[in-house]
Amino acid sequence: SSRVLWTLAVTQLNVTVAPSTKSAHGYTVNINGQSVEVVPPEDANAFVLKFQVDGKPVVAQVMMSKAGGVYKIQFVGTNYDVTVRTPRGQELAKHIPKVEAIDTTKYLLSPMPGAVFSIAVKKGDKVVVGQELAVVEAMKMQNMLRSQRDGVIKNVLVKPGQNVAVEEILLEFEA
């Protein structure tokens, strides 16, 4: 059958994968005009997805899922936001205005939900790349968060013991 089964939109790459047709071992998908044979993983609910693309093994890790069929997937060391939609959902998505990406380079975001264990800086401190800024504890593991840039701390928005969500702003750098 040549019925469209699903559509993927990989937002950072501006690539749309659609439509797909069932083939002998998986699906043949059209990625920007190029046909690719995809054998899906046996367990589509796994956090580590092992599948084949054109006969070559590919491994991707599902980092988290958000509402609306959006998944953060890590592939070859790069994170991608991947949106999974039905064909009708993809058609309707064309009418949704694009949301401008927020520049988060002047913030330290929590990479996971957890509790702030410690804050190693205060407002006005000068920091350098690699310097410890904070520690977030998640599932009994402490995760040290280091500065990805040189700069000055403009504001500390959390305190030790405070629960934080994934991508919550912990610190703000001066512009």
Side-chain angles (χ1 to χ4, degrees):
S1 157
S2 62
R3 183 173 74 98
V4 176
L5 300 174
W6 44 260
T7 300
L8 297 177
V10 184
T11 51
Q12 282 113 322
L13 299 178
N14 202 20
V15 173
T16 299
V17 180
S20 61
T21 56
K22 189 98 167 110
S23 65
H25 301 290
Y27 299 96
T28 301
V29 296
N30 184 309
I31 302 175
N32 286 354
Q34 179 181 356
S35 287
V36 178
E37 176 82 15
V38 177
V39 178
E42 289 180 20
D43 181 5
N45 294 318
F47 289 105
V48 175
L49 302 177
K50 296 177 183 179
F51 53 99
Q52 291 183 11
V53 176
D54 278 347
K56 296 178 185 154
V58 176
V59 177
Q61 182 177 2
V62 179
M63 303 301 285
M64 61 185 250
S65 61
K66 300 178 184 178
V70 178
Y71 298 86
K72 187 172 290 290
I73 295 180
Q74 188 175 67
F75 176 67
V76 192
T78 302
N79 289 333
Y80 298 96
D81 289 331
V82 178
T83 304
V84 180
R85 296 187 180 109
T86 64
R88 178 70 175 141
Q90 180 64 19
E91 184 62 34
L92 293 172
K94 294 176 184 175
H95 304 289
I96 298 173
K98 299 282 186 239
V99 177
E100 250 184 74
I102 298 170
D103 178 13
T104 60
T105 58
K106 66 178 187 173
Y107 301 107
L108 173 67
L109 305 177
S110 178
M112 68 205 69
V116 177
F117 183 78
S118 65
I119 300 289
V121 294
K122 63 185 182 310
K123 183 177 178 176
D125 283 357
K126 291 183 180 178
V127 297
V128 296
V129 171
Q131 181 176 337
E132 178 185 338
L133 300 176
V135 175
V136 173
E137 186 175 65
M139 297 178 63
K140 306 277 187 207
M141 295 200 52
Q142 294 179 0
N143 301 279
M144 187 180 301
L145 307 179
R146 298 184 178 276
S147 182
Q148 300 297 310
R149 59 179 276 190
D150 293 341
V152 176
I153 302 298
K154 180 178 180 180
N155 204 359
V156 177
L157 302 168
V158 294
K159 56 187 176 219
Q162 181 176 336
N163 289 328
V164 293
V166 67
E167 296 184 354
E168 184 170 334
I169 299 172
L170 306 177
L171 307 170
E172 182 180 5
F173 293 93
E174 289 184 1

